Amino acid sequence: MTIRTSEAPPSTATRRREAALHEYDVLGNAPQRELQALVDIAAQVCDVPRAAINLITATHQQQIATTGFDPSICAREDSMCAAVLEHADRVVVPDASLDARFRHNPFVTGVLGDVRFYASAPLTTPDGVIIGRLCVFDATPRHLDAAQEQSLSAVAERVVDVLELRLRTRRLQDSLEALTQAQEELRRSNEALSVFAGQVSHDLRTPLTAIMASTELLGQEDSVRADEWAQRLVTTAHRAAGRMAGMIEEILAYALVGAELRRSRTDVDEVLASALEDLEPALRASGATVTSDRLPVLIVDRQQLYSVLLNLVSNAVKYARPQIAPRVAVSAEQRPGSWRITVQDNGIGIAEADRKKVFELFNRIETSVQGSGIGLATVKRIIEAHGGAIGIGTVEGPGCSVWFELPADVTAAGTDGGGGRD
């Protein structure tokens, strides 16, 4: 059989149809069992010997499932379904030889077939694109009753449902594969980062320790003590080495976050108390006041949660307004499936435009206070490693409100209604 093709440029509707057919990946790769069952049902309910699922491209009609004959491909201009392709409803023709749309069609005239009765329903995607038609036909003129016509349309809708289900299943599989690959890449990246950070911190700490020890001993020499300028240089070098050692520890802590969580039943009140005890000299020096609600019991990594609270309370004190004693309030709110813990202060605050930037590594918004730009990035990493979220809320008046949410484990919740405490 010779297939004739059209040279006319494709219309917008044709381009949309081609895109939909490409997305469904159904030409030459159709889900045969499901579609065969549907085309068989169409023939049965319409009481005809032949039926087909016809998809229409810019140049051809391709049958992806048939009843009563073998599937084939024909030129678009020879297709009966292509002649009524854009008809958005059923088409029922008792005798195609008497219909102006079909009387000269080769499937009617005897060149390619001897069709008389023809009926079809559109295959319409959820986006409103008609990609083909489900048709039933016979060599003898006949009619369909109302129930048969409705059934034909219903089966056509199920054909599209099968294609949609297959498409969505494929997309889901692709997404799962991509997610699995991303998780594996992240795991390898975290492992490599931990190893790298551990090696670098070890390699750097050894000479730094020597520098700090040497500058400390040098500062005790009589010749240095007698020279004010030399003493100042030695002291400056010793402090700089100390700051660098602290930064190395912060970088190592950041790199190790999430590598291995040691979750256990943790009383957040006790963790906060430990953080406040370690911050006591800074709190006393600044005249800070810290108050706290009753905090929950959670299944978390206790040491890493300590780092979170230590960092947030320390920042609340560090970024105080000049001549204003810091006031810090730690509160907890139970939400569906999680607990939100908020650390609010009366300090200089953070501009709304900067509220996401402060969690980026090495990104320091306020430079008037000493810092490395690692602390909040580490806090964010810890919270996200626990499956939680962190952000900065809005407060009335001066100050800042940093909140983080952690999943609430039912085994950690108490029964007295007081913040999940035993």
Side-chain angles (χ1 to χ4, degrees):
M1 179 177 67
T2 301
I3 296 177
R4 292 177 287 149
T5 60
S6 173
E7 298 298 329
S11 64
T12 300
T14 299
R15 288 195 296 270
R16 293 184 67 200
R17 185 175 303 110
E18 293 284 333
L21 289 171
H22 176 75
E23 186 76 5
Y24 282 131
D25 187 27
V26 71
L27 297 176
N29 189 28
Q32 292 297 328
R33 188 178 65 177
E34 297 91 337
L35 295 181
Q36 188 61 54
L38 290 172
V39 79
D40 289 345
I41 291 172
Q44 290 171 9
V45 298
C46 293
D47 193 23
V48 295
R50 290 176 285 182
I53 298 173
N54 292 329
L55 300 182
I56 310 297
T57 72
T59 57
H60 299 91
Q61 168 185 279
Q62 182 164 330
Q63 294 167 335
I64 59 173
T66 59
T67 292
F69 65 103
D70 293 331
S72 64
I73 301 174
C74 73
R76 178 181 172 126
E77 56 263 36
D78 292 338
S79 165
M80 295 180 72
C81 284
V84 291
L85 180 59
E86 298 300 339
H87 199 290
D89 202 351
R90 296 181 296 270
V91 172
V92 180
V93 181
D95 189 342
S97 67
L98 303 178
D99 191 290
R101 294 168 293 184
F102 303 117
R103 65 175 57 150
H104 300 299
N105 187 280
F107 282 100
V108 177
T109 61
V111 175
L112 295 177
D114 55 356
V115 174
R116 289 298 176 265
F117 169 73
Y118 168 87
S120 68
L123 303 175
T124 308
T125 72
D127 293 330
V129 179
I130 300 176
I131 58 174
R133 299 187 76 87
L134 168 65
C135 75
V136 294
F137 52 99
D138 196 357
T140 302
R142 64 172 64 235
H143 293 81
L144 295 182
D145 60 31
Q148 288 174 314
E149 290 189 18
Q150 290 174 359
S151 295
L152 181 63
S153 294
V155 175
E157 291 172 357
R158 300 295 78 76
V159 169
V160 176
D161 287 345
V162 168
L163 300 183
E164 276 290 311
L165 179 61
R166 183 168 177 261
L167 171 62
R168 294 177 187 279
T169 300
R170 189 172 73 248
R171 285 176 176 172
L172 179 60
Q173 289 173 340
D174 291 344
S175 297
L176 289 174
E177 288 176 5
L179 179 59
T180 300
Q181 183 177 358
Q183 288 176 330
E184 180 60 23
E185 289 292 334
L186 180 60
R187 184 190 65 78
R188 287 199 295 265
S189 176
N190 280 338
E191 287 180 356
L193 180 61
S194 298
V195 172
F196 173 76
Q199 184 62 47
V200 168
S201 64
H202 174 269
D203 292 346
L204 291 178
R205 274 186 292 189
T206 300
L208 268 178
T209 301
I211 291 172
M212 293 178 69
S214 297
T215 52
E216 185 174 7
L217 290 173
L218 187 60
Q220 296 172 6
E221 291 292 323
D222 292 337
S223 58
V224 173
R225 289 181 177 180
D227 188 331
E228 182 179 350
W229 178 247
Q231 189 176 32
R232 185 182 303 173
L233 288 177
V234 170
T235 302
T236 300
H238 185 75
R239 288 176 179 171
R243 286 195 298 270
M244 185 173 291
M247 184 175 291
I248 290 172
E249 292 299 327
E250 287 188 78
I251 292 173
L252 180 60
Y254 177 83
L256 293 177
V257 167
E260 183 180 0
L261 291 178
R262 295 180 173 84
R263 299 177 189 259
S264 62
R265 185 180 173 87
T266 301
D267 187 328
V268 183
D269 261 336
E270 293 179 0
V271 178
L272 177 61
S274 297
L276 295 180
E277 183 178 349
D278 291 342
L279 288 171
E280 199 275 333
L283 298 177
R284 186 174 62 253
S286 64
T289 302
V290 181
T291 59
S292 171
D293 287 351
R294 226 176 161 187
L295 303 178
V297 173
L298 300 172
I299 303 297
V300 296
D301 186 309
R302 183 186 183 94
Q303 186 58 41
Q304 293 198 10
L305 181 61
Y306 164 84
S307 297
V308 169
L309 292 173
L310 184 76
N311 199 293
L312 295 184
V313 175
S314 175
N315 278 354
V317 173
K318 185 189 301 183
Y319 294 98
R321 287 177 291 157
Q323 311 304 318
I324 303 294
R327 290 197 308 273
V328 185
V330 183
S331 59
E333 175 190 358
Q334 188 166 19
R335 297 188 164 207
S338 68
W339 276 92
R340 171 173 285 200
I341 297 174
T342 302
V343 178
Q344 183 170 329
D345 62 56
N346 64 336
I348 60 177
I350 300 174
E352 187 171 355
D354 296 328
R355 290 179 182 174
K356 289 184 179 179
K357 298 178 185 176
V358 295
F359 295 107
E360 296 173 3
L361 190 62
F362 301 125
N363 197 338
R364 298 192 62 227
I365 304 302
E366 178 55 53
T367 57
S368 62
V369 179
Q370 251 189 8
S372 62
I374 300 174
L376 284 180
T378 303
V379 167
K380 182 174 185 288
R381 209 164 142 88
I382 290 172
I383 296 302
E384 291 180 347
H386 281 80
I390 189 168
I392 297 177
T394 302
V395 297
E396 294 183 6
C400 180
S401 175
V402 182
W403 58 265
F404 62 89
E405 289 187 10
L406 291 172
D409 190 291
V410 293
T411 62
T415 57
D416 63 353
R421 182 176 300 281
D422 290 331

